[in-house]
Amino acid sequence: SMVCTGARVQTCTSCATPVANAESGVVRYTNLRLDTAAKGYTLAFNTSALRVVSDPFQVVHSPPALLVLTAISQTTPADQPLATQPTVTLVDLFGNPVLDETVHAGVSAAPG
Protein backbone atom coordinates (compact mmCIF):
# COMPACT_ATOMS: atom_id res chain seq x y z
CA SER A 1 0.00 0.00 0.00
CA MET A 2 1.02 3.64 -0.24
CA VAL A 3 0.75 6.34 2.39
CA CYS A 4 1.30 10.06 1.81
CA THR A 5 2.46 11.84 4.96
CA GLY A 6 3.47 15.38 5.77
CA ALA A 7 1.46 18.49 6.54
CA ARG A 8 -1.71 16.41 6.41
CA VAL A 9 -1.25 12.76 7.26
CA GLN A 10 -3.57 10.68 5.14
CA THR A 11 -3.77 7.49 3.23
CA CYS A 12 -3.47 8.21 -0.44
CA THR A 13 -7.20 8.44 -1.16
CA SER A 14 -6.65 10.66 -4.20
CA CYS A 15 -4.33 8.11 -5.80
CA ALA A 16 -5.76 6.26 -8.76
CA THR A 17 -3.75 3.11 -7.99
CA PRO A 18 -2.45 3.05 -4.39
CA VAL A 19 -1.65 -0.67 -4.70
CA ALA A 20 0.27 -2.08 -7.66
CA ASN A 21 1.95 -5.37 -8.47
CA ALA A 22 5.59 -5.74 -9.48
CA GLU A 23 6.28 -6.61 -13.10
CA SER A 24 9.84 -7.88 -13.65
CA GLY A 25 10.68 -6.53 -10.20
CA VAL A 26 9.43 -2.98 -10.92
CA VAL A 27 6.26 -1.36 -9.59
CA ARG A 28 4.95 1.54 -11.66
CA TYR A 29 2.33 3.86 -10.24
CA THR A 30 0.26 6.05 -12.54
CA ASN A 31 -1.78 9.15 -11.81
CA LEU A 32 -0.65 9.63 -8.18
CA ARG A 33 -1.95 13.02 -7.04
CA LEU A 34 -1.95 15.24 -3.96
CA ASP A 35 -4.47 18.08 -3.96
CA THR A 36 -3.28 20.01 -0.90
CA ALA A 37 -0.30 22.32 -1.30
CA ALA A 38 2.16 21.83 1.57
CA LYS A 39 5.81 21.16 2.39
CA GLY A 40 7.17 18.02 3.95
CA TYR A 41 5.21 15.30 2.19
CA THR A 42 6.85 11.92 1.94
CA LEU A 43 5.81 8.83 0.04
CA ALA A 44 6.03 5.51 1.85
CA PHE A 45 5.94 2.20 0.03
CA ASN A 46 5.81 -1.13 1.81
CA THR A 47 5.32 -4.82 1.39
CA SER A 48 4.57 -7.28 4.18
CA ALA A 49 8.31 -7.30 5.10
CA LEU A 50 9.94 -4.18 3.58
CA ARG A 51 9.45 -0.40 3.67
CA VAL A 52 11.03 2.59 1.92
CA VAL A 53 10.22 6.28 2.43
CA SER A 54 11.00 9.09 -0.01
CA ASP A 55 12.82 12.27 0.87
CA PRO A 56 10.46 15.10 1.85
CA PHE A 57 9.02 17.09 -1.05
CA GLN A 58 6.71 20.03 -1.61
CA VAL A 59 3.37 20.21 -3.42
CA VAL A 60 2.77 23.72 -4.77
CA HIS A 61 -0.53 25.31 -5.73
CA SER A 62 -2.09 24.87 -9.15
CA PRO A 63 -2.81 27.86 -11.41
CA PRO A 64 -5.18 30.52 -10.00
CA ALA A 65 -8.83 29.59 -10.46
CA LEU A 66 -10.98 31.72 -8.16
CA LEU A 67 -11.06 34.97 -6.19
CA VAL A 68 -12.89 34.63 -2.87
CA LEU A 69 -14.25 37.92 -1.45
CA THR A 70 -15.31 38.44 2.15
CA ALA A 71 -18.36 40.60 2.92
CA ILE A 72 -17.82 44.34 2.91
CA SER A 73 -19.76 47.24 4.40
CA GLN A 74 -23.09 47.96 2.73
CA THR A 75 -23.07 51.64 3.76
CA THR A 76 -20.02 53.81 4.31
CA PRO A 77 -19.84 57.62 4.65
CA ALA A 78 -18.05 59.42 1.81
CA ASP A 79 -14.35 60.06 2.41
CA GLN A 80 -14.19 57.45 5.20
CA PRO A 81 -12.52 54.06 5.20
CA LEU A 82 -14.90 51.18 4.69
CA ALA A 83 -16.19 49.98 8.06
CA THR A 84 -15.42 46.41 7.04
CA GLN A 85 -12.36 46.20 4.80
CA PRO A 86 -12.59 43.58 2.05
CA THR A 87 -10.28 40.58 1.97
CA VAL A 88 -9.71 38.75 -1.28
CA THR A 89 -8.13 35.30 -1.38
CA LEU A 90 -6.82 33.88 -4.63
CA VAL A 91 -7.12 30.07 -4.70
CA ASP A 92 -6.54 27.20 -7.11
CA LEU A 93 -9.14 24.56 -8.08
CA PHE A 94 -8.44 22.66 -4.86
CA GLY A 95 -8.81 25.67 -2.52
CA ASN A 96 -5.06 26.14 -1.99
CA PRO A 97 -4.05 29.80 -1.59
CA VAL A 98 -2.06 31.03 -4.61
CA LEU A 99 1.02 32.99 -3.58
CA ASP A 100 2.89 35.82 -5.26
CA GLU A 101 0.06 37.03 -7.49
CA THR A 102 -1.14 40.63 -7.77
CA VAL A 103 -4.87 41.33 -7.38
CA HIS A 104 -6.08 44.72 -8.65
CA ALA A 105 -8.99 46.55 -7.03
CA GLY A 106 -11.49 48.65 -8.93
CA VAL A 107 -14.60 50.63 -8.05
CA SER A 108 -17.78 51.11 -10.03
CA ALA A 109 -20.84 53.14 -9.02
CA ALA A 110 -24.35 51.80 -9.37
CA PRO A 111 -26.80 54.13 -11.16
CA GLY A 112 -29.08 56.15 -8.94
Side-chain angles (χ1 to χ4, degrees):
S1 66
M2 187 177 116
V3 177
C4 307
T5 61
R8 288 177 175 75
V9 178
Q10 63 188 41
T11 54
C12 211
T13 56
S14 61
C15 300
T17 53
V19 178
N21 293 318
E23 294 178 21
S24 301
V26 177
V27 177
R28 287 181 176 41
Y29 289 87
T30 59
N31 202 25
L32 298 179
R33 185 181 89 197
L34 293 167
D35 297 339
T36 303
K39 293 180 181 178
Y41 281 107
T42 59
L43 298 177
F45 302 89
N46 58 288
T47 68
S48 59
L50 301 170
R51 179 176 170 87
V52 64
V53 178
S54 73
D55 289 334
F57 63 92
Q58 179 177 358
V59 174
V60 297
H61 62 78
S62 295
L66 181 67
L67 286 171
V68 180
L69 174 65
T70 60
I72 61 171
S73 303
Q74 296 296 316
T75 304
T76 298
D79 198 33
Q80 295 294 313
L82 298 174
T84 303
Q85 293 293 315
T87 302
V88 178
T89 305
L90 182 59
V91 296
D92 66 12
L93 285 174
F94 305 103
N96 298 303
V98 175
L99 309 175
D100 301 325
E101 290 283 335
T102 301
V103 176
H104 301 275
V107 176
S108 61

